[in-house]
Amino acid sequence: VQLQASGGGLVQPGGSLRLSCTASGSIFSTKAMGWWRQSPGKQRELVASITSGGGDNYLDSVKGRFTISRDNVKDTVYLQMNSLKPEDTAVYYCSLGSTWLDPAPADSGSWGQGTLVTVSS
């Protein structure tokens, strides 16, 4: 499986971005997906996840601002980010989960390449 992430960029505080992650292969619809982020000097953290059935979960600090969704026809997962804050600045990674529920990837090949989001005025 290959994951291709896109949509990052520079945005002012309060702005919006939508990240996309498209997976190759036929197993996308059966797995959970996740969006993670990593800032310099910090551990990678799970920002949002979505099960194969569409159930979602969010990091407390992004609840009400970020929305994860998936399109199983296009094999794509999205992260809509609104009301962005400087502390959202990070490299964002998508993952193909190991099960229908768990967004943590089973192996290193189940990570996207990362897309940089910079929130700054």
Side-chain angles (χ1 to χ4, degrees):
V1 175
Q2 290 189 326
L3 302 175
Q4 183 69 38
S6 62
L10 173 64
V11 63
Q12 292 186 342
S16 298
L17 283 174
R18 189 176 82 154
L19 307 183
S20 300
C21 176
T22 300
S24 63
S26 61
I27 64 172
F28 175 87
S29 64
T30 68
K31 304 295 186 182
M33 299 292 294
W35 281 103
W36 308 66
R37 68 186 180 189
Q38 189 168 20
S39 304
K42 294 186 178 180
Q43 287 190 329
R44 190 171 299 188
E45 61 182 355
L46 179 63
V47 175
S49 64
I50 187 166
T51 69
S52 62
D56 54 8
N57 280 287
Y58 299 92
L59 186 68
D60 282 349
S61 61
V62 308
K63 284 181 180 177
R65 301 189 297 122
F66 290 11
T67 303
I68 190 170
S69 61
R70 65 190 298 158
D71 184 333
N72 289 338
V73 174
K74 296 181 178 180
D75 288 351
T76 300
V77 62
Y78 304 98
L79 186 68
Q80 178 67 44
M81 304 186 295
N82 298 328
S83 303
L84 282 160
K85 303 176 181 181
E87 52 264 42
D88 296 318
T89 296
V91 178
Y92 284 71
Y93 299 88
C94 59
S95 67
L96 178 70
S98 56
T99 70
W100 69 272
L101 177 65
D102 185 0
D107 52 60
S108 60
S110 297
W111 288 106
Q113 84 280 15
T115 185
L116 176 62
V117 172
T118 303
V119 185
S120 175
S121 55

